[in-house]
Amino acid sequence: QDFRIERYLPPAARNITLEKTYVGHRAKYTISESELKSYVDGLWAATGESSVISRSDLEDGRSAQGEEIKSAIQGLDWPRMREAIRFCSPVESDGGGAKYFFDRTTGIAYHRVNYW
């Protein structure tokens, strides 16, 4: 029951594992690609106009590279993604926002959120 987690966690997420710190959180869960994409589209529809970085500049929906994913989940014993794509939430003026990684092979998503 933390609004900072609830606002970035898709309602369709299942089998959730959460790691929370004072400056953010990371989550792992199962979800379909269409459910995750629809959720992120909704974030952009609701608050995208105030994002300090445009969605196209974030290269939303592109293939995710191993190092980028590794950095996002560093220190956690979560499985390596094989065929991952990345989605991004709108970015707040203080840099807060979320990066979502989805593995098309396993149906597992990771996300990392930073807030101040």
Side-chain angles (χ1 to χ4, degrees):
Q1 295 194 0
D2 182 331
F3 77 94
R4 296 171 300 178
I5 293 171
E6 291 173 0
R7 72 188 248 193
Y8 290 110
L9 185 64
R14 301 167 302 283
N15 305 314
I16 302 165
T17 301
L18 182 68
E19 188 253 0
K20 181 179 171 182
T21 68
Y22 64 95
V23 295
H25 71 271
R26 297 183 283 183
K28 177 181 85 153
Y29 44 89
T30 56
I31 192 168
S32 73
E33 183 176 349
S34 62
E35 289 169 327
L36 181 58
K37 185 175 181 331
S38 176
Y39 178 75
V40 174
D41 288 345
L43 293 175
W44 281 96
T47 61
E49 288 183 14
S50 62
S51 180
V52 296
I53 303 174
S54 73
R55 193 171 190 181
S56 62
D57 285 344
L58 291 168
E59 298 181 353
D60 193 54
R62 71 166 173 81
S63 293
Q65 304 303 312
E67 286 301 312
E68 181 181 23
I69 300 167
K70 185 178 176 181
S71 174
I73 64 167
Q74 187 173 7
L76 301 173
D77 190 24
W78 292 353
R80 185 177 192 176
M81 292 187 154
R82 296 181 223 155
E83 187 183 346
I85 55 173
R86 178 177 71 120
F87 299 102
C88 300
S89 74
V91 180
E92 299 172 16
S93 61
D94 64 1
K99 286 186 181 178
Y100 297 86
F101 301 95
F102 178 78
D103 189 332
R104 289 178 161 157
T105 304
T106 63
I108 293 175
Y110 300 152
H111 78 237
R112 179 183 188 132
V113 177
N114 295 316
Y115 36 79
W116 319 109

